[in-house]
Amino acid sequence: MLSNAMRALLLAFALITIGNLQCAFAADVDIGSSTGVGDTLTIGADTTWSASNVYKLHAQVFVQDGFTLTIEAGTKIEATKPTGSEKAPAVIIERGAKIIAKGTATKPITFTSAEASAFDYTNLGATAIADLQGLWGGLIILGKAPIAGSTVCGSTYDYSSAGTYNSDDIEGLPSGATSSYGGCEPEDNSGVVSYVKVWHGGYDLGGGNSGNEINGITLAGVGSGT
């Protein structure tokens, strides 16, 4: 008969084995089409990206007003590098939408380039820094907080109006609701971003060297509730 200590050891081994198998058999999930890099894709429902998948980001993903994108701890997102005039894949949290990306120290959430697997970070050698940057767009979070140059807010504020004061459009995206940021809500909440790594971003969002690069993470009009 097995002792309690032996049973505990076997159970621990089984759990470790199951965890390793889950990592080994992580499914690839396409976000957009590999034949339409930079195309627009909208998320119009609460959505969760699971750590059991690897997400292949081909599109410019817009999480729409009123909906939340939740990304589990340990999730990996690999973005396709555009070529020619293709627009850069990116994740855009629209004004009024939320992202809940709560990684941990041991299970960070990683946004990176699909080409990053070829890099030996411990021995880059002659690899140019320029070859490690600008391989996809990045993460953009747009909020409803007052921005530079804002005026005193009135009793009402119409976020649906294209001419709304205290508002601007983020660089690289078509003007309108999907790219607008700013408003009259200093404590606006766009979600949570914790233990998130964003590598190799900064590609031209508009494609074709339009001059519309963004940072790895771009925060625009994000309120203190975030």
Side-chain angles (χ1 to χ4, degrees), residues 30-33 38-43 49 59-63 90 94:
D30 287 313
I31 305 298
S33 171
D39 287 353
T40 297
L41 186 151
T42 59
I43 292 180
W49 288 357
Q60 288 188 349
V61 177
F62 292 81
V63 182
E94 295 182 17

Side-chain angles (χ1 to χ4, degrees), residues 95 114 123 141 157 159 169 226:
R95 188 168 60 177
N123 184 28
I141 303 177
Y157 190 91
Y159 286 100
D169 293 314
T226 303

Side-chain angles (χ1 to χ4, degrees), residues 47-149:
T47 299
T48 297
W49 288 357
S50 168
S52 61
N53 300 321
V54 175
Y55 292 88
K56 303 294 186 179
L57 181 65
H58 309 297
Q60 288 188 349
V61 177
F62 292 81
V63 182
Q64 296 180 313
D65 179 9
F67 301 106
T68 299
L69 172 62
T70 300
I71 305 177
E72 294 181 349
T75 301
K76 189 173 186 180
I77 299 97
E78 298 181 345
T80 302
K81 181 182 178 180
T83 59
S85 61
E86 291 176 336
K87 296 180 180 179
V91 175
I92 301 97
I93 310 302
E94 295 182 17
R95 188 168 60 177
K98 289 184 179 180
I99 180 172
I100 305 297
K102 297 174 68 174
T104 68
T106 56
K107 292 184 178 180
I109 294 166
T110 303
F111 288 83
T112 188
S113 167
E115 300 193 355
S117 60
F119 300 144
D120 179 1
Y121 294 102
T122 61
N123 184 28
L124 289 174
T127 302
I129 293 299
D131 293 333
L132 303 176
Q133 62 190 18
L135 300 183
W136 66 290
L139 172 63
I140 303 174
I141 303 177
L142 308 176
K144 294 182 175 181
I147 59 177

Side-chain angles (χ1 to χ4, degrees), residues 95 143 145-151 157-159 161-170 176 179-184:
R95 188 168 60 177
I147 59 177
S150 293
T151 58
Y157 190 91
D158 183 7
Y159 286 100
S161 172
T164 295
Y165 62 95
N166 294 356
S167 182
D168 204 348
D169 293 314
I170 198 68
S179 65
S180 296
Y181 66 93
C184 284

